[in-house]
Amino acid sequence: MKIKLQSVLRLLVIAALLMLPISLLGCESKNTYIASGRVVYEGNGQGFPSAVLSFGPFGIAITDLQGNWVKSGLQGTVTITPAGGGWIFTPANVAISKATDGILIKAKLHEPTSLPTKVGAGRDYSVARKDNGTVWAWGENGYGKLGDGSTANRTTPVQVSGLEGVKAIAAGHYHTVALKDNTTVWAWGLNVNGQLGDGTNVDRTTPVIVSGLDNVLAIATGTEHTVVLKTDGTVWAWGGNGSGRLGDGTTYSRNTPVQVNGLGNVAAIAAGYNHTIALKTDGTVWAWGDNYFGQLGDGTKTTCYTPVQVKGLSDVAAITAGCFYTVALKTDGTVWAWGVNTFGQLGDGTTTTRIEPAKISSLNNVSAIAAGNNHVVALKADGTVWAWGHNAAGQLGDGTTNNRS
């Protein structure tokens, strides 16, 4: 019995010794490590707050106000993937397999150059850019806004005369603007307030080049004014200047571009009926022009002839402007709106005008927004489309003609 017990003990010891390397390997594979780093705005190197970094099966980390993040408990090879609505991150994926510090990730907005404007809609007419860089238009042709050399209405698309190499288009009420690959801007249609920017007030039925302007990155049109963003982050405007919508500190109309006062590091622009909006690289929003309905969002109804900062709004990824209201998409996928709310276009469940941003509480995970005169459309990350505001013509697409707030 004693011999048998000793034999069993020997076998157990041998088995334990054989299992030891396997056990040690198992322990080694379960060793954890820490990674840390920072997410910054590409434009100015400032910290990017509230960016979400995914670590595969090991969860997420969220950057602080300075853009810093730390993640512990990682094992093996892990791919870090940053995310934030409306932003491009470089690098988009970071693979690590050991403790790593100082991982730097840069964030920039989806530029208009990465998503060129292919269609536009003005008052009673439409315009489209083809992949070959030509522009086509149809509809009502008052003042020559279709750009085909005539003022005849068109029920089918006609090519805009002599225009090629176009990468973006924008339509105002009665004038049209195009941005070419060579960064110059061209315009046609009504020019009574100088909105074509060619140094005259003569209407044009074919495109003319905007005077003294190049290195343009993005374009936007209001009712009677035009705004551009240059590659150096400055903003320039021309045309009708009622309520100071050109942002040059005056109310004088301009038929050539003037620089918007005191505004730099701009990433995106938008134009409403009588007001203009700019998104800066630090995620703040600035506005100027008419403020009768609080569409500037500065907490007042005072008209501003130069840019003022929208109150209490940061971490913004995209902007859009309606007739007398403004909408912003934040990096966390939430949507905020302010200004007139007669038809519920602010989406806050009321028809109360707001003079500073109000969150649309029922909406999240949004990746893109667009505003019409009095209604808004949002694209969610899951591919669904949501709309609210004026619906008299069924523009919300919900099968009714009821307004939605």
Side-chain angles (χ1 to χ4, degrees), residues 185-318:
V185 178
W186 297 68
W188 59 97
L190 181 66
N191 199 23
V192 65
N193 291 300
Q195 54 262 57
L196 303 189
D198 67 340
T200 78
N201 292 84
V202 178
D203 301 340
R204 305 289 185 174
T205 59
T206 57
V208 291
I209 191 170
V210 175
S211 300
L213 194 66
D214 58 10
N215 296 318
V216 174
L217 179 65
I219 55 176
T221 51
T223 307
E224 298 174 343
H225 75 296
T226 308
V227 188
V228 300
L229 167 63
K230 296 187 70 172
T231 54
D232 63 2
T234 60
V235 177
W236 297 67
W238 60 94
N241 199 14
S243 303
R245 72 190 96 167
L246 301 187
D248 67 342
T250 78
T251 56
Y252 299 118
S253 295
R254 308 287 185 174
N255 58 24
T256 57
V258 292
Q259 186 172 352
V260 175
N261 286 355
L263 194 64
N265 297 319
V266 173
I269 52 174
Y273 191 88
N274 286 324
H275 75 294
T276 313
I277 307 293
L279 169 62
K280 297 185 70 171
T281 56
D282 63 3
T284 60
V285 178
W286 297 69
W288 57 98
D290 182 34
N291 200 21
Y292 184 82
F293 296 100
Q295 58 263 51
L296 303 188
D298 66 340
T300 77
K301 289 188 176 182
T302 303
T303 293
C304 295
Y305 307 124
T306 57
V308 292
Q309 186 172 353
V310 174
K311 189 174 181 179
L313 196 64
S314 59
D315 305 327
V316 173

Side-chain angles (χ1 to χ4, degrees), residues 43-57:
N44 56 18
Q46 294 180 0
F48 187 111
S50 302
V52 178
L53 294 92
S54 171
F55 295 83

Side-chain angles (χ1 to χ4, degrees), residues 23-310:
S23 177
L24 290 174
L25 286 172
C27 288
E28 184 177 348
S29 68
K30 292 181 181 178
N31 284 345
T32 61
Y33 60 87
I34 299 174
S36 63
R38 192 164 185 248
V39 180
V40 300
Y41 293 102
E42 183 179 88
N44 56 18
Q46 294 180 0
F48 187 111
S50 302
V52 178
L53 294 92
S54 171
F55 295 83
F58 302 104
I60 64 172
I62 300 176
T63 58
D64 63 17
L65 291 176
Q66 286 73 45
N68 300 310
W69 60 269
V70 177
K71 182 65 177 177
S72 60
L74 303 177
Q75 297 178 340
T77 299
V78 178
T79 299
I80 308 170
T81 305
W87 294 85
I88 300 172
F89 294 91
T90 305
N93 297 286
V94 183
I96 59 173
S97 58
K98 61 182 181 179
T100 309
D101 187 21
I103 299 172
L104 182 64
I105 299 172
K106 295 181 179 181
K108 68 175 182 178
L109 283 166
H110 282 288
E111 300 286 8
T113 49
S114 65
L115 292 172
T117 307
K118 291 190 174 184
V119 294
R123 184 162 185 169
D124 301 323
Y125 78 106
S126 303
V127 61
R129 180 189 68 84
K130 296 183 71 172
D131 289 338
N132 64 4
T134 60
V135 178
W136 298 68
W138 60 98
E140 197 271 325
N141 197 16
Y143 310 103
K145 59 189 172 184
L146 300 188
D148 67 341
S150 78
T151 56
N153 296 344
R154 305 292 185 175
T155 58
T156 57
V158 291
Q159 186 172 354
V160 175
S161 299
L163 198 62
E164 297 178 343
V166 173
K167 67 177 180 180
I169 50 178
H173 263 203
Y174 297 107
H175 77 293
T176 313
V177 181
L179 171 62
K180 296 185 70 170
D181 289 327
N182 64 5
T183 73
T184 61
V185 178
W186 297 68
W188 59 97
L190 181 66
N191 199 23
V192 65
N193 291 300
Q195 54 262 57
L196 303 189
D198 67 340
T200 78
N201 292 84
V202 178
D203 301 340
R204 305 289 185 174
T205 59
T206 57
V208 291
I209 191 170
V210 175
S211 300
L213 194 66
D214 58 10
N215 296 318
V216 174
L217 179 65
I219 55 176
T221 51
T223 307
E224 298 174 343
H225 75 296
T226 308
V227 188
V228 300
L229 167 63
K230 296 187 70 172
T231 54
D232 63 2
T234 60
V235 177
W236 297 67
W238 60 94
N241 199 14
S243 303
R245 72 190 96 167
L246 301 187
D248 67 342
T250 78
T251 56
Y252 299 118
S253 295
R254 308 287 185 174
N255 58 24
T256 57
V258 292
Q259 186 172 352
V260 175
N261 286 355
L263 194 64
N265 297 319
V266 173
I269 52 174
Y273 191 88
N274 286 324
H275 75 294
T276 313
I277 307 293
L279 169 62
K280 297 185 70 171
T281 56
D282 63 3
T284 60
V285 178
W286 297 69
W288 57 98
D290 182 34
N291 200 21
Y292 184 82
F293 296 100
Q295 58 263 51
L296 303 188
D298 66 340
T300 77
K301 289 188 176 182
T302 303
T303 293
C304 295
Y305 307 124
T306 57
V308 292
Q309 186 172 353
V310 174

